Amino acid sequence: MKPLPKALAALAPLQARWVALPAREKRLLLLAGTALVLFLIWQLGVRPALRTLAVAPAQRAALEVQWQAMQKRAAEAAELRGATPMSPEQSLAALKAATDRLGERARMTVQGDRVVLTLSNVGTAELRDWLSEARSGARVRPVEATLSRAAQGYSGTLIVALGGAL
C-alpha cells in the first residue's frame, strides 16, 4: 500500500472514530452537519440576495429621481451656454427686477462687477426663485454667500458676479 498524504493521515483518527460510532449517532451527526451547511448557505447566499431584492426598487426610484434632476440641470446648462451674452447693464436691470419682487426684505448694492444682496427674513421658496431668476434671467452667478436661517427665513448677504458670467 501507498502511504497516505499528510493531510489525510491527520484525519485517520477521526475516520476510525466515525467507523466506531453506532448508526444512530452517525445519522444524528449527518443531520446536524446538513443543518449547519443549510444554515451557512442561507446566511451567506440566500439572505443577502433577498435583502438586495427587497431594497433594489427603492434604490432604483431614488437613482431615477437623481438622474432626472441631472438631466434637467444638463439641459439648463446647455440652454444657458447657447444664450446670447448680456451686457452688465441688462444683467443689472434683470437682477433689480428680481430683487424688487422680494420687497423691503432685500436690498441690492452694486460694487463694480459684483452685486451684494442683503437679505432679511426671506423665505426658502422666495430665495430659490430669486436665485433661479438671477441665474437664468440676469445671467449672474453666486460668488459668495453668508446666510443664516431663522424661523422667519434667511438673513445675510449674497454676492453675485454681473455681466452674464457663467
Side-chain angles (χ1 to χ4, degrees), residues 8 27 32-33 36 46-47 56 87 100 121 131 136 143 155 158 162:
L8 290 178
R27 277 190 300 246
L36 180 64
V46 176
R47 188 171 168 208
S87 69
D100 288 344
N121 299 325
L131 284 167
S136 61
V143 178
S155 296
L158 182 64
L162 273 180

Side-chain angles (χ1 to χ4, degrees), residues 23-132:
R24 181 172 184 239
E25 288 184 18
K26 286 181 183 178
R27 277 190 300 246
L28 287 175
L29 284 173
L30 284 174
L31 183 63
T34 303
L36 180 64
V37 167
L38 289 174
F39 175 76
L40 289 174
I41 289 172
W42 174 262
Q43 288 293 347
L44 300 176
V46 176
R47 188 171 168 208
L50 289 176
R51 188 178 307 128
T52 299
L53 287 174
V55 173
Q59 286 179 336
R60 180 185 164 111
L63 290 172
E64 184 67 30
V65 168
Q66 287 179 353
W67 172 253
Q68 289 173 355
M70 287 173 50
Q71 291 292 92
K72 182 179 175 184
R73 288 187 187 113
E76 180 184 350
E79 181 183 322
L80 288 171
R81 262 189 244 111
T84 57
M86 289 181 95
S87 69
E89 293 79 22
Q90 290 172 318
S91 287
L92 188 58
L95 198 57
K96 184 170 178 4
T99 304
D100 288 344
R101 282 191 261 298
L102 294 176
E104 293 184 15
R105 294 171 292 149
R107 191 177 70 244
M108 195 172 87
T109 309
V110 180
Q111 297 176 348
D113 67 339
R114 306 271 167 113
V115 174
V116 178
L117 181 71
T118 305
L119 303 171
S120 175
N121 299 325
V122 174
T124 304
E126 293 170 312
L127 180 59
R128 183 188 61 233
D129 292 346
W130 184 89
L131 284 167
S132 176

